[in-house]
Amino acid sequence: MEELARKYKDRGVEVFLMYVREPHAKERGFRQYRKHESYDHKMEYAKLLVKKHSLVIPCLVDSLDEKLHQILGNLPNLVYVVDKKGEVFYKNTWTDADAIDEILAELVTAEDPSRPVQKTMDSRHVPGRIPVEV
């Protein structure tokens, strides 16, 4: 996602991560992490994530009650591509950088009237334009 942010930064695309919860708290391999006890605790974990992965893209942190995550479907690794009108152009339940790259190329081409539109993904990957209400 960092690479996509760099690739599309001059084309009006903003990429960010939304930290919603610790998905594997206390599970094998994640025993040092526990369920968030406060918003400050959640912020601490989000900062650790940013540092651990040397993230440059912005990391937004959902509220402690995960209100936005609930609205967006409550699944891990969700990806949304939202167009300039604030409508969902693409949604997927897994972060696949190659697929997102194709979608972004399609979207920036569609939003640039000087370029011809070329579909790169078939219609089953694009759920239609759905208003985002947050």
Side-chain angles (χ1 to χ4, degrees):
M1 297 310 293
E2 295 277 340
E3 185 178 322
L4 290 176
R6 284 189 297 278
K7 180 177 180 177
Y8 289 97
K9 73 177 182 176
D10 296 331
R11 298 184 73 189
V13 173
E14 294 182 48
V15 176
F16 60 88
L17 164 74
M18 185 175 70
Y19 181 80
V20 293
R21 69 170 177 254
E22 203 52 46
H24 302 288
K26 295 292 186 186
E27 292 180 13
R28 189 175 68 197
F30 299 91
R31 300 232 190 265
Q32 73 273 29
Y33 299 104
R34 59 190 191 281
K35 185 176 177 181
H36 301 126
E37 298 163 358
S38 67
Y39 190 75
D40 288 339
H41 182 226
K42 189 173 198 172
M43 285 294 294
E44 178 186 328
Y45 280 9
K47 288 175 183 177
L48 285 171
L49 174 73
V50 168
K51 184 176 180 179
K52 179 179 180 180
H53 296 284
S54 303
L55 298 177
V56 175
I57 60 175
C59 179
L60 309 179
V61 180
D62 198 4
S63 60
L64 190 59
D65 65 3
E66 301 176 15
K67 183 177 181 178
L68 184 56
H69 191 217
Q70 297 295 325
I71 290 169
L72 295 175
N74 196 29
L75 295 170
N77 301 310
L78 282 174
V79 172
Y80 285 87
V81 174
V82 180
D83 66 17
K84 290 181 179 179
K85 294 180 273 186
E87 297 176 341
V88 175
F89 186 77
Y90 172 80
K91 173 184 172 185
N92 202 336
T93 57
W94 193 254
T95 305
D96 179 343
D98 291 334
I100 296 165
D101 188 12
E102 290 180 34
I103 288 296
L104 290 175
E106 177 183 335
L107 183 59
V108 297
T109 300
E111 291 182 344
D112 182 351
S114 67
R115 295 186 172 171
V117 175
Q118 296 178 342
K119 286 288 258 178
T120 55
M121 300 290 284
D122 63 51
S123 61
R124 67 190 161 152
H125 294 287
V126 182
R129 295 181 184 264
I130 305 164
V132 175
E133 297 177 20
V134 181

